Amino acid sequence: MVKYVKEGESTTLNCNATGVPGQNITWKRKTEQDDLQIINNNDNKYEVIFSGSGTSQLMVKDISFSDGDYYVCDTSAIVNQLSLARGFLGVMCKL
């Protein structure tokens, strides 16, 4: 998935994992060192929403250019095998 959003807007990324409880989905963001950093609700920038069995959404608020990156939906902790879905969020500058 590739999604483009204008600076200052908010957007939602969706993750659907068949047979996986929604509360066990972890959202991560790729860092400059190619590590994956866990995203949680303790940051005003992000809101993680669990909306049923195997469904989760990541809301990215007040998007700035530095928010453009790869975001990962990770269910591997539940199924004991690597299970990732990756999407790219591109940010368009305001004119």
Side-chain angles (χ1 to χ4, degrees):
M1 173 205 62
V2 176
K3 191 171 201 176
Y4 290 95
V5 181
K6 292 180 184 175
E7 280 185 297
E9 294 182 353
S10 297
T11 193
T12 302
L13 305 176
N14 297 302
C15 178
N16 297 306
T18 304
V20 177
Q23 296 85 342
N24 293 320
I25 294 171
T26 303
W27 284 95
K28 299 178 180 180
R29 180 178 176 185
K30 184 178 141 303
T31 67
E32 291 180 12
Q33 295 79 25
D34 286 333
D35 296 328
L36 291 176
Q37 176 183 9
I38 294 175
I39 296 171
N40 57 48
N41 281 330
N42 296 336
D43 187 344
N44 291 333
K45 173 62 85 177
Y46 304 104
E47 182 178 350
V48 178
I49 303 162
F50 300 111
S51 50
S53 180
T55 303
S56 179
Q57 296 176 318
L58 174 65
M59 180 182 288
V60 185
K61 303 173 187 176
D62 191 24
I63 291 175
S64 64
F65 187 74
S66 64
D67 293 317
D69 215 336
Y70 286 96
Y71 291 83
V72 175
C73 170
D74 182 359
T75 62
S76 57
I78 308 124
V79 295
N80 286 334
Q81 62 185 20
L82 188 59
S83 182
L84 305 172
R86 180 174 77 165
F88 181 79
L89 177 62
V91 179
M92 299 181 294
C93 297
K94 289 183 179 179
L95 296 179

